[in-house]
């Protein structure tokens, strides 16, 4: 009789556990992309902080803003804010937004000396309204031209570059802070493309609509390992003529797009730009030969930098 | 006798020091990771700097004495008192000759060869000819200087061969897989690297012939004791001539002599220490073998010995001396009759202008030995016959490292000036760099130019900042008839320093598709390709007050096509595709309340400006009466005029003031 019994208790429990694991693996967690907007964001510092807090809270699922900020960096870590200052004051990461983040990071226990604002060139930072500062003990702000690049090439796939020493030697964690805008060659420039500012030869990687170069650059270990969060400045966005500042094609989106998944963020931002282009009578990016194919490449099995699958992107609008 | 023993130890010590310094005439490290100035930790050229012939010849050729050569007084002054002690106690080539000479069996042949021969005067005539050549401005005496010869031969031939041989042995031992042999190989390699061997395996042009000459010098000792020192050495001749005033001399007590001739058997100079012959002071190397070997104590060196039985000087024949003088005088014009005009005669950075260079260069090869990329090689006829064994850069073998100035550091005569890496200015991009040539493309061999194949290796390697090699996209048709886009390289002669990195790295392996020639070298006023390296740019952007209410709030910045990406990365490509030459940009402020940026893009043709202008959507703009065509978007104004495309962007809408500024710019654009 014993042999005819279907399943033992132990087998049953094993099967339950295996089933739970399979179910877990079969339904991977969604990538959350938070879009937080407020019409007062560009004029009121309070509104900016509020939007920022709510967005970061939503990303980290925390009720308390400070708790959410503490998730970004562990005690003692140096946090780099990779801003985008290529386009002068008009279409660069907002100084007010960076100030707000620095304030919150300090409240979360990151001392000023452990915060570094950085981009390609001191000139770029200066032109975007940042004050270049290298004194120790305070928040530092400097370009890669001042910090220097590593002497050995970092390579992945089609990309081989010297990485900024600020990224490799100074920072333990990076908050990526791109701007929501169109790009004349690769279609759009946000989270993934902003990391071109960490290498010495970004001009080499614009051919073929930046595909697969953008994805490959983001695969370089220091970039992949250190970027913890992307806060995309969408206060003023640009749907045409980028990455340079073209005021005639800019619009006030009055928001921030925040995510831990750079691919999902870029995909979401791309759709926002496409909608604006359609609204203004511009052709879709695909029709202009500028479809940002690198976003799909970044999500492919060879890169796995995030997801561009709408079904796996949880879009949260605040 | 302790004297001969001291001499022997002195020879060993100085030879060891010489070889050690020569082995250390290289930079052991990575130039890329080095901070500050690259310096060698040892005074590696001290033997050459102490060489009296180098000092005298250099002073005669240049009518000045290079500071480092004051070290030669350390040899010259004692020589006045002691005679040719340098030859017997210090000279590394003399020591090597001594060792090889000593390999011969003692016997009648050796005895006979050690008697004074008339041909020993040859070196004095040679000295006369070389010094006359020096007076006429030729440093050709360096080819015969013993220290220079030894440095050149060991550094460029013997040590590299030894390096290769030892590595081959180590590889062989290692490949056996037998543990004790592998250990031996590791040990040999470790010891070799720490002592004689080079950090990297060097190869030098003419290495075989230099080695052959050196071997001949050594082998001749097997027939005639110290043949080089006795017959050919011009330094020995100089010191011999000076030793006529020395106060130390040989005293022969002939009454105690039993004519055994042992004094002659070990004699190095061939100065006749035997009784019955006059002792020749100018030939004696002070080896002290004669006094050591004399069984009867009949020979003794003494202060103020008296002049009896001594020939003081070289005892030259007037007719032959005049002949040597004439030969020296004739040799220089003859050598220069085949003056080098090879375009590949690229001298090291910091080298003096060719005439001054040939006056000072002693062909020692120190610069070649120290070059971390083995880029410098001895010339054959590239610099004319007079330039034999002078250094030239062979970029296909190695390029000149931007941060390295070691060749100037080790040059003992100042033929290569001691510049700093900052003065060299290849990496900093500031100041006026020291150029050694200019790169050119062989478009028939270049992959993007002739084979529709993408290749940007030369541009990647170009070390100047901004880069001298820039790329322009071009549509080409491949063999299948397909149209494809490749980036084709160009050289900006105003920026190229001639380092040769492009030629070195060119993947067209046999004969590079990009090559460097000497034109444009800083050291020459005539060997130039551009009248002015830095073109004076007309000021295209207005100054404060030229447009009502506008103040210029910063200097004009200029970005050539190759570096436009540094200003507008991601946007530069479309300007480059339209044939941009450069962009000028400046910031402006209107009545302390409105900020704007003005960009003037200087295109190659009006068509390029039109292409950029028309590619931008006109939606939301109105026509502005500016240049050939203009648009006003409220916070932005664009217009084109001839080959200029201008863009003004403000951070607020202000069409009136922006157009006023645009008109001020338009007024400056001369077609």
């Amino acid at each position: 009789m014993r042999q005819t019994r279907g399943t033992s208790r132990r087998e049953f429990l094993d099967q339950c556990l295996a089933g739970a694991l399979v179910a877990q693996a079969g339904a991977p967690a969604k990538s959350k992309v938070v879009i937080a907007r407020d019409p007062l964001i560009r004029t009121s510092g309070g509104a900016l902080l509020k939007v920022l807090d709510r967005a970061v809270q939503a990303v980290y699922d925390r009720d308390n803003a400070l708790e959410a900020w503490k998730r970004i960096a562990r005690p003692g870590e140096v946090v780099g804010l990779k801003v985008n200052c290529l386009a002068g004051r008009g279409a660069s990461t907002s100084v007010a937004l960076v100030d707000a983040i620095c304030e919150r990071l300090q409240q979360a226990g990151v001392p000023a000396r452990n915060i570094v604002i950085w981009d390609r060139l001191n000139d770029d930072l200066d032109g975007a309204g940042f004050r270049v500062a290298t004194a120790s003990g305070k928040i530092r702000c400097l370009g890669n031209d001042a910090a220097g690049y590593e002497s050995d090439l970092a390579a992945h796939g089609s990309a081989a570059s010297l990485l900024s020493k600020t990224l490799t030697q100074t920072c333990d964690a990076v908050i990526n802070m791109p701007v929501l805008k169109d790009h004349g060659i690769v279609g759009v420039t946000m989270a993934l493309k902003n990391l071109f500012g960490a290498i010495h030869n970004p001009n080499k990687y614009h051919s073929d609509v930046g595909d697969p170069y953008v994805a490959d650059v983001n695969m370089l270990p220091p970039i992949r390992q250190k970027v913890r969060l992307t806060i995309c400045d969408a206060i003023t966005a640009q749907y045409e003529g980028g990455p340079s500042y073209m005021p005639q094609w800019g619009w006030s989106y009055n928001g921030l797009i925040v995510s831990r998944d750079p691919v999902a963020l870029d995909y979401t931002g791309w759709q926002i730009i496409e909608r604006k282009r359609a609204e203004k009578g511009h052709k879709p990016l695909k029709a202009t030969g500028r479809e940002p194919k690198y976003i799909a490449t970044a999500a492919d099995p060879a890169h796995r930098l995030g997801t561009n699958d709408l079904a796996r992107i949880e879009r949260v609008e605040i | 006798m302790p004297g001969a023993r001291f001499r022997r130890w002195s020879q060993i010590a100085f030879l060891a020091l010489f070889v050690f310094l020569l082995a250390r005439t290289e930079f052991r490290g990575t130039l890329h990771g080095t901070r500050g100035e690259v310096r060698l930790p040892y005074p590696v050229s001290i033997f050459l700097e102490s060489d009296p012939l180098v000092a005298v010849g250099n002073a005669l050729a240049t009518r000045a004495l290079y500071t480092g050569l004051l070290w030669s007084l350390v040899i010259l002054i004692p020589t006045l008192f002691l005679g040719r002690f340098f030859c017997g106690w210090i000279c590394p080539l003399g020591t090597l000759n001594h060792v090889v000479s000593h390999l011969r069996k003692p016997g009648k042949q050796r005895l006979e060869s050690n008697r004074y021969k008339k041909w020993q005067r040859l070196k004095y005539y040679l000295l006369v000819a070389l010094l006359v050549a020096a007076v006429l401005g030729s440093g050709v005496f360096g080819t015969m200087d013993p220290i220079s010869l030894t440095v050149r031969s060991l550094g460029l031939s013997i040590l590299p061969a030894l390096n290769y041989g030892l590595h081959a042995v180590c590889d062989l031992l290692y490949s056996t897989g037998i543990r004790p042999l592998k250990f031996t190989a590791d040990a040999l390699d470790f010891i070799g690297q720490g002592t004689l061997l080079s950090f990297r395996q060097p190869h030098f042009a003419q290495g075989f012939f230099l080695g052959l000459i050196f071997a001949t010098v050594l082998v001749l000792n097997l027939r005639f004791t110290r043949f080089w020192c006795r017959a050919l050495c011009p330094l020995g001749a100089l010191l011999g001539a000076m030793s006529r005033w020395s106060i130390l001399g040989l005293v022969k007590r002939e009454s105690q002599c039993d004519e055994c001739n042992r004094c002659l058997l070990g004699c190095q100079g061939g100065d006749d220490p035997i009784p019955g012959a006059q002792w020749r002071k100018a030939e004696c190397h002070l080896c002290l073998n004669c006094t050591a070997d004399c069984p009867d104590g009949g020979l003794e060196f003494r202060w103020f010995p008296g002049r009896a039985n001594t020939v003081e000087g070289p005892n030259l024949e007037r007719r032959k001396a005049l002949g040597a003088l004439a030969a020296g005088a004739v040799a220089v014009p003859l050598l220069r009759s085949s003056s080098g005009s090879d375009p590949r005669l690229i001298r090291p950075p910091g080298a003096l202008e060719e005439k001054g260079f040939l006056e000072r260069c002693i062909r020692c090869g120190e610069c070649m030995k120290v070059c971390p990329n083995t880029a410098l090689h001895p010339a054959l006829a590239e610099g004319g016959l007079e330039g034999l064994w002078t250094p030239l850069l062979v970029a296909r073998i190695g390029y000149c490292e931007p941060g390295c100035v070691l060749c100037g550091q080790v040059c003992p005569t100042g033929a290569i000036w001691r510049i700093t890496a900052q003065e060299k200015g290849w990496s900093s991009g500031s100041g006026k760099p020291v150029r050694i040539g200019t790169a050119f493309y062989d478009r028939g061999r270049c992959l993007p130019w002739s084979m529709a194949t993408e290749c940007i290796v030369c541009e990647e390697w170009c070390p100047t900042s901004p880069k001298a090699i820039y790329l322009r996209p071009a549509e080409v048709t491949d063999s299948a008839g397909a149209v494809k886009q490749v980036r084709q390289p160009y050289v900006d002669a105003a920026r190229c320093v001639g380092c040769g990195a492009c030629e070195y790295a060119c993947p067209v392996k046999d004969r590079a598709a990009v090559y460097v020639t000497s034109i444009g070298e800083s050291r020459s006023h005539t060997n130039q390709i551009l009248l002015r390296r830095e073109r004076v740019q007309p000021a295209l952007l207005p100054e404060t007050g030229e447009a009502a209410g506008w103040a210029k709030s910063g200097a004009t910045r200029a970005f050539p096509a190759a570096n436009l990406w540094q200003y507008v990365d991601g946007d530069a490509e479309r300007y480059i595709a339209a044939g941009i030459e450069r962009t000028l940009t400046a910031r402006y402020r209107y009545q302390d309340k409105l900020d704007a940026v003005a960009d003037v893009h200087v295109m190659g043709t009006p068509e390029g400006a039109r292409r950029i202008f028309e590619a931008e959507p006109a939606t939301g703009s109105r026509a502005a009466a500016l240049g050939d065509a203009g648009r006003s978007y409220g916070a932005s104004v664009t217009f084109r005029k001839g080959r200029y495309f201008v863009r003004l962007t403000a951070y607020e809408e202000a069409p009136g003031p922006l157009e006023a500024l645009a008109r001020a710019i338009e007024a400056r654009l001369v077609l």
Side-chain angles (χ1 to χ4, degrees):
Chain A
M1 289 299 285
R2 227 179 136 73
Q3 286 94 348
T4 59
R5 218 177 121 196
T7 311
S8 72
R9 188 186 300 146
R10 177 167 291 176
E11 284 166 349
F12 173 74
L13 287 173
D14 284 350
Q15 285 166 6
C16 285
L17 186 61
L21 288 172
V22 168
Q24 181 73 16
K30 285 190 170 184
S31 289
K32 190 180 283 184
V33 178
V34 179
I35 301 173
R37 300 175 73 183
D38 186 332
L40 297 176
I41 194 170
R42 66 176 55 248
T43 51
S44 158
L48 174 62
L49 272 174
K50 201 170 155 188
V51 168
L52 184 63
D53 282 344
R54 281 161 55 200
V56 175
Q57 271 179 258
V59 166
Y60 287 104
D61 269 332
R62 287 290 182 278
D63 296 331
N64 181 300
L66 212 53
E67 285 303 312
W69 283 103
K70 282 180 179 172
R71 294 287 305 277
I72 295 172
R74 287 181 279 274
E77 284 190 326
V78 176
V79 182
L81 305 182
K82 168 62 184 79
V83 292
N84 186 311
C85 299
L86 182 69
R89 270 175 41 206
S92 296
T93 310
S94 145
V95 176
L97 174 62
V98 173
D99 285 346
I101 292 173
C102 289
E103 188 184 325
R104 282 295 185 255
L105 284 172
Q106 289 178 80
Q107 286 167 356
V110 180
R113 65 173 183 277
N114 282 359
I115 299 174
V116 186
I117 301 160
W118 62 282
D119 198 6
R120 295 183 324 149
L121 307 168
N122 277 351
D123 264 353
D124 285 0
L125 287 160
D126 184 53
F130 292 94
R131 184 174 292 173
V132 172
T134 53
S136 56
K138 297 178 181 172
I139 293 175
R140 283 167 286 172
C141 175
L142 76 169
N144 297 337
D145 55 338
Y149 290 93
E150 292 291 341
S151 53
D152 295 325
L153 280 174
H156 182 91
S158 59
S161 301
L162 304 180
L163 285 164
S164 157
K165 284 183 179 169
T166 306
L167 172 71
T168 55
Q169 296 181 15
T170 309
C171 296
D172 299 308
V174 172
I175 300 177
N176 188 12
M177 299 190 64
V179 177
L180 176 65
K181 58 182 176 178
D182 166 87
H183 192 284
I185 300 172
V186 304
V188 294
T189 168
M190 279 166 277
L192 295 166
K193 179 68 172 60
N194 192 34
L195 271 314
F196 268 31
I199 58 175
H200 83 296
N201 56 351
N203 57 321
K204 299 288 158 55
Y205 302 136
H206 284 118
S207 48
D208 296 326
V209 209
D211 186 38
Y213 307 109
V214 180
D216 284 344
V217 166
N218 277 269
M219 288 295 285
L220 299 176
I223 294 179
R224 191 165 189 184
Q225 290 158 7
K226 293 187 179 183
V227 177
R228 303 241 173 109
L229 181 68
T230 303
I231 300 177
C232 177
D233 181 346
I235 300 170
T236 302
Q238 190 172 312
Y239 58 88
E240 173 68 43
S244 300
Y245 172 49
M246 302 283 176
Q248 62 271 34
W249 296 306
W251 90 101
S252 298
Y253 188 75
N254 296 328
L256 302 176
I257 309 174
V258 186
S259 179
R260 293 158 75 184
D261 180 338
V263 184
L265 188 147
D266 277 7
Y267 185 81
T268 308
W270 171 25
Q271 302 313 314
I272 293 170
I273 285 176
E274 288 285 20
R275 276 198 294 279
K276 192 67 186 177
R277 289 177 65 83
E279 180 191 320
K280 291 289 183 182
H282 287 255
K283 290 178 185 171
L285 289 173
K286 190 173 183 179
T288 61
R290 294 192 285 131
E291 183 188 9
K293 291 184 286 186
Y294 68 83
I295 296 176
T297 304
D300 70 17
H303 293 83
R304 293 185 191 279
L305 288 164
T307 181
N308 66 336
D309 180 358
L310 258 182
R312 288 176 56 202
I313 297 175
E314 181 188 351
R315 183 171 158 145
V316 179
E317 298 207 24
I318 301 172
Chain B
M1 283 289 284
R5 204 179 304 141
F6 285 150
R7 186 261 305 152
R8 209 167 289 134
W9 280 112
S10 165
Q11 282 180 299
I12 292 169
F14 278 107
L15 180 64
L17 179 66
F18 177 83
V19 174
F20 172 78
L21 290 177
L22 187 59
R24 285 294 182 272
T25 309
E26 67 174 22
F27 180 66
R28 298 182 172 220
T30 58
L31 287 161
H32 296 292
T34 304
R35 297 282 174 276
E37 205 69 11
V38 174
R39 291 277 166 206
L40 295 183
Y42 303 101
V44 294
S45 50
I46 192 69
F47 273 87
L48 286 159
E49 288 172 353
S50 324
D51 184 332
L53 179 63
V54 172
V56 172
N58 190 265
L60 289 174
T62 62
R63 320 295 192 260
L65 184 63
Y66 190 58
T67 324
L69 298 177
L70 284 171
W71 280 107
S72 62
L73 294 176
V74 173
I75 306 297
L76 274 175
I77 293 171
T79 302
L80 290 171
F81 297 97
L82 303 171
R84 289 174 65 179
F85 78 102
F86 177 83
C87 304
W89 291 60
I90 296 174
C91 180
L93 181 59
T95 302
L96 290 172
N97 284 329
H98 190 152
V99 170
V100 179
S101 300
H102 206 71
L103 297 177
R104 278 189 302 164
K105 285 180 187 169
K108 194 179 175 190
Q109 193 270 333
R110 184 162 137 187
L111 196 75
E112 283 306 311
S113 83
N114 282 354
R115 289 186 197 280
Y116 174 75
K117 305 285 187 310
K118 275 192 173 181
W119 48 253
Q120 287 180 227
R121 292 182 202 164
L122 178 62
K123 60 179 176 288
Y124 298 102
Y125 300 126
L126 200 59
L127 175 70
V128 170
L130 291 172
L131 292 184
V132 169
V135 170
L136 295 176
S138 176
V140 76
F141 63 86
T143 54
M144 294 289 289
D145 178 82
I147 307 295
S148 178
L149 182 143
T150 314
V151 169
R152 186 172 61 235
S153 306
L154 290 184
L156 308 187
S157 177
I158 308 297
L159 287 181
L162 198 66
N163 201 65
Y164 186 86
L166 190 72
H167 277 129
V169 169
C170 289
D171 288 347
L172 185 70
L173 292 176
Y174 207 86
S175 66
T176 59
I178 302 166
R179 190 168 290 178
L181 294 182
K182 283 171 77 177
F183 176 78
T184 310
D186 283 339
L188 269 176
D189 191 58
F190 179 77
I191 294 165
Q193 293 291 349
T195 52
L196 283 180
L197 302 189
S198 289
F199 195 62
R200 282 193 281 182
Q201 174 63 50
H203 300 278
F204 294 97
Q206 298 185 57
F208 176 76
F209 295 105
L210 294 174
L212 195 65
I213 292 168
F214 191 67
T216 307
V217 167
L218 294 184
V219 167
L220 279 170
N221 293 305
L222 298 175
R223 181 71 184 84
F224 306 100
T225 303
R226 291 183 72 158
F227 177 78
W228 169 271
C229 310
R230 290 184 189 181
L232 298 172
C233 182
L235 174 59
L238 178 69
L239 298 177
M242 292 184 66
S243 64
R244 67 177 300 132
W245 296 288
S246 77
I247 52 175
L248 184 67
L250 185 69
V251 175
K252 302 178 185 177
R253 296 190 197 95
E254 298 198 2
S255 57
Q256 296 177 16
C257 178
D258 61 1
E259 297 186 3
C260 67
N261 284 339
R262 285 185 189 169
C263 56
L264 206 55
L265 204 61
C267 178
Q268 297 298 303
D271 50 271
D272 277 351
I274 48 171
Q278 286 186 307
W279 177 64
R280 294 176 182 271
K281 194 194 260 186
E283 301 300 321
C284 179
H285 294 178
L286 249 70
C287 66
L288 307 182
N289 279 344
C290 52
T291 54
D293 292 344
C294 181
D296 305 316
L299 295 170
E300 186 187 6
F301 275 92
R302 220 192 258 173
W303 301 108
F304 304 106
R307 293 183 172 184
N309 277 334
T310 300
V311 179
E312 300 276 345
N315 220 10
L316 302 186
E317 293 173 34
R318 187 181 299 163
R319 186 172 292 179
K320 288 183 180 170
L322 286 172
L325 206 133
V330 170
V332 176
L334 273 177
L335 288 171
R336 289 180 181 169
S337 65
S338 63
S339 65
S341 56
D342 193 315
R344 307 304 298 269
L345 183 68
I346 300 165
R347 296 297 191 192
L352 299 181
E353 173 273 328
E354 190 64 6
K355 180 175 173 293
F357 183 78
L358 291 177
E359 282 173 359
R360 284 179 182 263
C361 179
I362 54 167
R363 290 80 167 160
C364 62
E366 284 268 288
C367 53
M368 307 172 210
K369 173 80 174 70
V370 82
C371 180
N373 291 341
T374 328
L376 296 175
H377 293 258
L380 191 59
E382 293 89 343
L385 286 176
E386 193 187 359
L388 180 72
W389 299 333
T390 54
L392 89 160
L393 185 127
V394 182
R396 203 57 179 140
I397 298 173
Y399 64 97
C400 187
E401 191 69 45
C404 172
V405 286
L406 290 173
C407 49
Q409 191 194 336
V410 301
C411 180
T413 60
I416 306 171
W417 208 241
R418 289 190 183 197
I419 53 172
T420 63
Q422 199 178 0
E423 286 165 337
K424 192 177 176 186
W426 288 9
S427 308
S428 60
S430 58
K432 200 174 170 187
V434 175
R435 302 170 202 279
I436 56 175
T438 307
F440 293 88
Y441 279 94
D442 182 344
R443 290 186 178 181
R445 300 178 66 80
C446 180
L447 298 178
W449 279 104
S450 65
M451 295 170 208
T453 304
E454 178 83 349
C455 176
I456 57 168
V457 172
C458 49
E459 194 260 4
E460 287 274 10
W461 275 71
C462 181
T464 60
S465 178
K467 284 181 185 288
I469 293 178
Y470 58 97
L471 306 167
R472 282 196 171 163
E475 280 191 351
V476 294
T477 310
D478 65 15
S479 58
V483 174
K484 59 191 284 194
Q485 199 173 65
V486 295
R487 285 170 286 180
Q488 293 174 328
Y490 293 80
V491 176
D492 184 343
R495 293 214 168 81
C496 184
V497 293
C499 68
C502 50
E503 183 177 344
Y504 171 76
C506 179
V508 183
K509 280 296 170 199
D510 54 344
R511 199 178 79 225
V514 56
Y515 58 94
V516 179
T517 69
S518 63
I519 196 152
E521 54 186 347
S522 299
R523 68 194 189 113
S524 167
H525 294 297
T526 53
N527 191 22
Q528 298 296 324
I529 192 168
L530 299 176
L531 287 177
R532 266 196 300 264
R533 283 281 186 175
E534 304 302 337
R535 285 158 284 183
V536 176
Q537 311 286 358
L540 300 179
L541 288 160
E543 295 301 322
T544 298
E546 281 189 45
W550 284 99
K552 197 174 175 193
S553 52
T556 299
R557 291 189 298 157
F559 296 89
N563 293 82
L564 186 56
W565 67 275
Q566 291 184 334
Y567 177 49
V568 282
D569 184 36
D571 222 7
E573 281 78 354
R574 65 190 180 105
Y575 290 97
I576 292 167
I580 195 168
E581 284 184 358
R582 64 187 186 280
T583 292
L584 305 170
T585 182
R587 292 179 200 158
Y588 287 87
R589 194 165 175 80
Y590 179 70
Q591 293 182 346
D592 282 334
K593 58 187 179 189
L594 175 70
D595 289 308
V597 176
D599 298 331
V600 177
H601 300 284
V602 185
M603 312 301 293
T605 60
E607 172 57 24
R610 192 187 60 75
R611 206 168 133 189
I612 293 290
F613 182 79
E614 290 182 359
E616 295 191 352
T619 44
S621 72
R622 63 174 176 78
L626 290 163
D628 301 332
R631 292 183 196 131
S632 175
Y633 293 90
S636 170
V637 168
T638 59
F639 73 91
R640 65 180 172 87
K641 180 180 178 184
R643 66 186 187 121
Y644 301 103
F645 173 77
V646 180
R647 183 193 310 280
L648 287 94
T649 45
Y651 298 115
E652 291 169 37
E653 294 217 349
L658 271 183
E659 284 179 39
L661 180 57
R663 277 191 289 278
I665 295 171
E666 185 196 358
R668 282 181 167 252
L669 303 180
V670 181
L671 298 177

